[in-house]
Amino acid sequence: METAARKYTLSREIEAIKDIESTSMEHRLARRMVILFAGILILSFLVQIIIGFPAVKTSPQPKTEGTLWEKVLSANAHIIEVKDTWEDDFEDVFFTRNIFLSGYQNILIHLFHEGNEKVEIGDDDWLFYSKDIEYLTGPPIVSDFSEEKSLSPVSCIVDFAEQLRQRDIELVVMPVPL
């Protein structure tokens, strides 16, 4: 249990640095891996050129009236909206993402028994939302409504269970897989 608790206290960057420090690779293999990675990037870009990129959809033009500040804010909002729309459309037609994402996720789950930045793997390959687990195992909740001012999520659940038990109600708590 200690290693599971430690896993949530380290940031992903610290974990990555520790893994890099303990990983060794021959220079020939490293060069081959870089060449393979660069080749995949170039190939996927060429295939995407053949398939095509999404067209930029036009949205209502920014304001041309008002103060200079209002015009700047309107133009900025317009640019952000166009960018967000284009990114969403690009994700839908991006060749590499559509082909490899599900395969990559399956390899992570079934071969390495690892989730991603949003998912933790449980028993029998059940998937759990990482933020929910971090919330329950993380630092105390700060509250102005309590005498203690900070409560751990577990103590809140135990307190709630006790309140229900006084009314002859049993609380059943279980993490729900995604």
Side-chain angles (χ1 to χ4, degrees):
M1 187 61 153
E2 183 183 0
T3 57
R6 189 180 317 129
K7 182 176 182 180
Y8 298 111
T9 59
L10 295 178
S11 71
R12 293 182 73 78
E13 292 82 12
I14 293 172
E15 287 182 26
I17 289 170
K18 287 182 182 276
D19 288 342
I20 289 170
E21 289 172 350
S22 65
T23 302
S24 63
M25 184 182 289
E26 293 179 20
H27 290 292
R28 253 177 48 185
L29 178 60
R31 268 189 245 114
R32 288 179 182 168
M33 294 300 288
V34 168
I35 291 169
L36 176 66
F37 181 70
I40 289 172
L41 287 178
I42 291 168
L43 179 65
S44 63
F45 181 71
L46 293 173
V47 169
Q48 192 65 51
I49 288 174
I50 293 168
I51 292 173
F53 292 95
V56 176
K57 296 177 183 168
T58 57
S59 60
Q61 294 299 314
K63 282 188 199 178
T64 55
E65 299 173 358
T67 66
L68 176 62
W69 184 246
E70 289 171 343
K71 290 178 186 176
V72 168
L73 290 178
S74 178
N76 186 50
H78 174 73
I79 290 169
I80 290 171
E81 183 181 333
V82 168
K83 177 196 70 78
D84 289 344
T85 303
W86 187 84
E87 283 178 349
D88 291 342
D89 292 346
F90 188 73
E91 284 181 2
D92 293 338
V93 299
F94 189 54
F95 166 76
T96 308
R97 179 182 185 273
N98 293 336
I99 296 293
F100 294 113
L101 186 60
S102 63
Y104 172 70
Q105 292 295 336
N106 282 329
I107 289 171
L108 271 179
I109 292 169
H110 299 295
L111 188 61
F112 297 113
H113 199 69
E114 286 289 328
N116 57 27
E117 64 274 358
K118 293 184 179 180
V119 174
E120 294 292 329
I121 308 297
D123 292 339
D124 298 325
D125 291 335
W126 284 32
L127 307 177
F128 297 92
Y129 187 50
S130 296
K131 296 288 184 191
D132 291 345
I133 294 173
E134 290 168 9
Y135 173 77
L136 289 174
T137 60
I141 302 167
V142 178
S143 171
D144 293 334
F145 304 110
S146 169
E147 295 125 16
E148 295 179 29
K149 291 291 184 194
S150 66
L151 305 167
S152 74
V154 174
S155 65
C156 291
I157 293 171
V158 169
D159 180 52
F160 183 55
E162 183 57 37
Q163 292 174 30
L164 292 174
R165 191 174 296 118
Q166 291 171 1
R167 297 180 179 163
D168 293 326
I169 301 171
E170 181 183 2
L171 176 65
V172 178
V173 178
M174 68 174 259
V176 178
L178 301 174

